[in-house]
Amino acid sequence: MTETPSSAPRLRVAPSPTGDPHVGTAYMSLFNLAFARQQGGSFVLRIEDTDRARFREDSEQQVFETLHWLGLQWDEGPDVGGPFAPYRQSERLDTYRPYVERLLADGRAYHCWCSTERLAQMRDMQQKLKQPTGYDRLCHGKTREERAELPGFNETPVVRMLIPDDVELTFDDLIRGRVSAPRPDDQVILKGDGFPTYHLAVVVDDHEMGITHVVRGEEWISSTPKHIQLYKDLGLEPPKFAHMPLLRNTDKSKISKRKNPAARLTWFKEQGYLPEALVNFLALLAYPPKEGAAGEDVEVFTFEEFSEDFDWKKVNPVGPIFDLKKLDWLNGVYIRGLEVGELASRLLPFLQADGVLGDNPSLGQLARLKKVTELIQTRMVLLTEASALVRPFFLGDDEIEIAEDARAQLKDDSGAVLAAATKALEDVDDTRSGVLGSESGWSASAIEAVLRTAIVEEMGIKPKFAFGPLRTAVSGQRISPPLFESMEILGKTSTLARLHRLHDDLA
């Protein structure tokens, strides 16, 4: 890996492995990566796994897999290494202790022996008296022995930072300009188990890893004065900050995995969204559309196009509504834009999961899948919708089950329509000719011509109603891929067998 110049920006995303990755991890990664790539800088993935109570072992791998799926590739991280390894906080515990000792020695931090019960009572009293909640500094300036004589003593101390009276409460934000935050209390920076809290670890790690820009959600605005103060207390240069707007549900509440399945990053893959559509969607949530040649909004763009003219000043600080209808629209656009073979390969895992195709499909099955994919490409919004459309092409003629809604729409003349269609199609020559038998009289155009003559013209049935029974016989569904093209793919033998079967069923 080539070293980036010292002037090049370094950005990071630092998820916690406490469950399925949150969609916000991809959202933050996208904006970090766009700026890093535009500026020729580096993008770092760091795993913040100091919350051992909520730690989940498989979660880290899910982070890797989902971000890889989205194409949001990092330059340094636990899996790829880098000059500032290790990239897991749990492997960096020895890194934090010297910083804590320095703060203690300089009087900018102190030990606190208060029990959790005592802290809970203190907060309850503050709330009853309508006072600001925060630590009351009972332990500040006391030795262990002095504190032990007072109520609510705990043998294992934590370390708290000492917030000075003149703490700076405003800071410059790349998105929001000058920002004000409430006064912080004396935050715990080292827990009793020896693990740092987020506030200390993030400052130390960002400094040690040379992070120049900290891009995170707006919920961290209130913590920024603590972090800037820690940089100041340690004599370190703080990074630049950019606080992204929070993703919100339609009711304006913060999107969460407990209430909204779409907050889970794995959900989008399961539902059949294309990664490039999701990346495009996440960009549009907080960034304006690109401008076309005539000044029109261009909402469909690649990551490279997004990164090329990226500007923090264009980020909208207002929390965007997570509108899945827009994502569905984008997904349809991207599906229609794929080359047919590429779309077929993306459909394959979903078809295999649903039992439409086996684990090792034959070349003939793959060739048929490509033909079917071309028929259904404009009829899908999600890849998961393919199985219902594709399944009839891979079932035996005697395995087609007629759906209830399809059967319900059949009219009294359906049997006569099926009989007329069968008679007409029997006369279509399906003999193969040409190079390797690539040509046949059994084509969609030939099929359509004879069926229109037999049913529309000779039976006098309007085209709108003429082919419903045939669609049901061929696919078992009320809605299916284009009928004549479907018959061409199935071939004459299967098509006639299915028409006969439904005709006999209705007799």
Side-chain angles (χ1 to χ4, degrees):
M1 185 184 71
T2 57
E3 291 288 333
T4 54
S6 58
S7 59
R10 290 176 55 79
L11 294 91
R12 52 74 175 168
V13 67
S16 299
T18 56
D20 286 358
H22 194 282
V23 67
T25 298
Y27 172 62
M28 294 300 165
S29 298
L30 171 61
F31 281 77
N32 274 283
L33 184 61
F35 182 69
R37 292 290 175 261
Q38 182 200 59
Q39 298 292 316
S42 299
F43 177 51
V44 178
L45 173 63
R46 188 172 70 225
I47 299 294
E48 297 192 345
D49 58 348
T50 55
D51 186 348
R52 305 312 287 180
R54 297 171 60 219
F55 173 77
R56 236 180 63 183
E57 199 164 340
D58 62 335
S59 184
E60 180 182 296
Q61 188 59 37
Q62 284 185 324
V63 169
F64 296 159
E65 290 174 357
T66 49
L67 293 183
H68 275 309
W69 173 66
L70 289 168
L72 303 176
Q73 182 57 49
W74 48 99
D75 304 300
E76 303 168 26
D79 56 336
V80 297
F84 300 99
Y87 292 91
R88 293 183 187 90
Q89 282 189 340
S90 61
E91 298 172 2
R92 299 174 59 82
L93 298 184
D94 293 342
T95 305
Y96 309 114
R97 178 62 69 172
Y99 289 90
V100 175
E101 297 299 339
R102 190 193 313 176
L103 291 168
L104 287 167
D106 292 345
R108 300 183 185 281
Y110 59 95
H111 287 103
C112 173
W113 291 272
C114 288
S115 66
T116 53
E117 293 78 15
R118 195 255 155 187
L119 293 173
Q121 291 170 359
M122 177 196 72
R123 277 192 298 272
D124 287 344
M125 184 59 68
Q126 289 170 339
Q127 288 170 350
K128 285 177 183 175
L129 297 174
K130 297 186 177 178
Q131 296 174 341
T133 55
Y135 185 60
D136 59 4
R137 293 186 172 173
L138 178 65
C139 294
H140 181 236
K142 293 182 176 62
T143 63
R144 179 189 180 283
E145 291 71 25
E146 290 170 336
R147 178 62 183 86
E149 295 176 1
L150 300 173
F153 177 79
N154 182 38
E155 284 289 346
T156 306
V158 299
V159 177
R160 292 181 181 274
M161 66 182 292
L162 180 66
I163 299 294
D165 292 339
D166 62 350
V167 60
E168 180 61 61
L169 299 178
T170 61
F171 62 92
D172 289 320
D173 188 283
L174 292 171
I175 297 171
R176 300 162 188 273
R178 196 70 180 164
V179 174
S180 297
R183 179 182 172 82
D185 69 335
D186 290 0
Q187 187 71 48
V188 174
I189 56 174
L190 192 71
K191 295 179 281 189
D193 60 4
F195 276 74
T197 62
Y198 170 83
H199 303 289
L200 176 72
V202 75
V203 166
V204 171
D205 286 342
D206 283 344
H207 165 68
E208 294 251 335
M209 294 181 181
I211 301 302
T212 59
H213 295 69
V214 169
V215 182
R216 56 191 181 187
E218 65 180 285
E219 71 267 35
W220 293 107
I221 287 176
S222 61
S223 296
T224 304
K226 304 172 195 175
H227 301 164
I228 293 175
Q229 186 61 44
L230 280 171
Y231 279 104
K232 185 176 179 181
D233 290 345
L234 292 167
L236 307 175
E237 180 71 24
K240 295 176 180 176
F241 291 94
H243 289 90
M244 293 286 294
L246 287 180
L247 303 179
R248 302 189 184 279
N249 296 308
T250 50
D251 64 358
K252 305 289 182 70
S253 62
K254 178 184 174 183
I255 191 169
S256 71
K257 290 187 287 186
R258 287 191 304 277
K259 296 180 180 179
N260 189 338
R264 290 191 303 111
L265 199 46
T266 51
W267 180 84
F268 296 93
K269 190 174 183 180
E270 294 162 1
Q271 294 299 305
Y273 288 102
L274 298 180
E276 50 268 59
L278 181 55
V279 166
N280 193 159
F281 173 70
L282 292 174
L284 283 172
L285 284 174
Y287 207 79
K290 294 181 71 67
E291 189 174 301
E296 76 280 11
D297 286 347
V298 178
E299 295 190 307
V300 179
F301 47 79
T302 64
F303 169 78
E304 289 72 24
E305 290 168 333
F306 175 56
S307 175
E308 187 177 358
D309 69 346
F310 186 81
D311 185 346
W312 291 113
K313 292 184 176 64
K314 291 184 180 179
V315 176
N316 186 346
V318 178
I321 300 298
F322 207 82
D323 181 7
L324 287 176
K325 290 180 181 176
K326 171 59 75 71
L327 176 56
D328 287 346
W329 171 77
L330 277 170
N331 208 59
V333 170
Y334 276 93
I335 283 176
R336 293 190 293 277
L338 286 176
E339 189 272 325
V340 173
E342 171 66 17
L343 177 56
S345 69
R346 297 206 198 192
L347 292 178
L348 189 55
F350 293 93
L351 299 173
Q352 290 172 323
D354 290 340
V356 176
L357 287 169
D359 292 338
N360 295 297
S362 67
L363 291 176
Q365 287 177 319
L366 293 175
R368 173 169 283 201
L369 173 58
K370 186 173 179 180
K371 290 179 180 177
V372 176
T373 299
E374 191 170 4
L375 293 189
I376 66 174
Q377 187 162 14
T378 60
R379 284 167 155 73
M380 285 187 298
V381 170
L382 302 171
L383 299 183
T384 45
E385 295 170 351
S387 289
L389 296 168
V390 171
R391 192 183 301 276
F393 294 91
F394 293 94
L395 289 174
D397 301 327
D398 57 350
E399 295 176 316
I400 294 290
E401 293 185 10
I402 308 301
E404 287 304 315
D405 63 341
R407 189 179 292 277
Q409 70 156 9
L410 293 174
K411 296 182 170 52
D412 293 341
D413 62 358
S414 293
V417 169
L418 289 164
T422 302
K423 185 175 184 302
L425 291 174
E426 284 174 345
D427 293 334
V428 179
D429 184 7
D430 66 340
T431 304
R432 306 203 71 83
S433 61
V435 181
L436 299 177
S438 59
E439 298 174 14
S440 169
W442 185 263
S443 65
S445 57
I447 293 166
E448 179 178 5
V450 299
L451 290 177
R452 286 192 180 277
T453 298
I455 301 172
V456 178
E457 295 175 15
E458 295 181 4
M459 294 185 71
I461 300 176
K462 293 181 180 179
K464 182 178 179 182
F465 305 107
F467 306 116
L470 311 186
R471 191 183 305 282
T472 298
V474 167
S475 69
Q477 306 295 318
R478 188 171 65 85
I479 299 173
S480 72
L483 176 62
F484 312 119
E485 288 81 356
S486 296
M487 289 178 165
E488 178 182 330
I489 292 172
L490 284 169
K492 183 175 180 177
T493 302
S494 282
T495 297
L496 291 175
R498 295 182 184 197
L499 296 179
H500 275 301
R501 186 163 179 254
L502 181 56
H503 177 269
D504 294 345
D505 187 39
L506 295 175

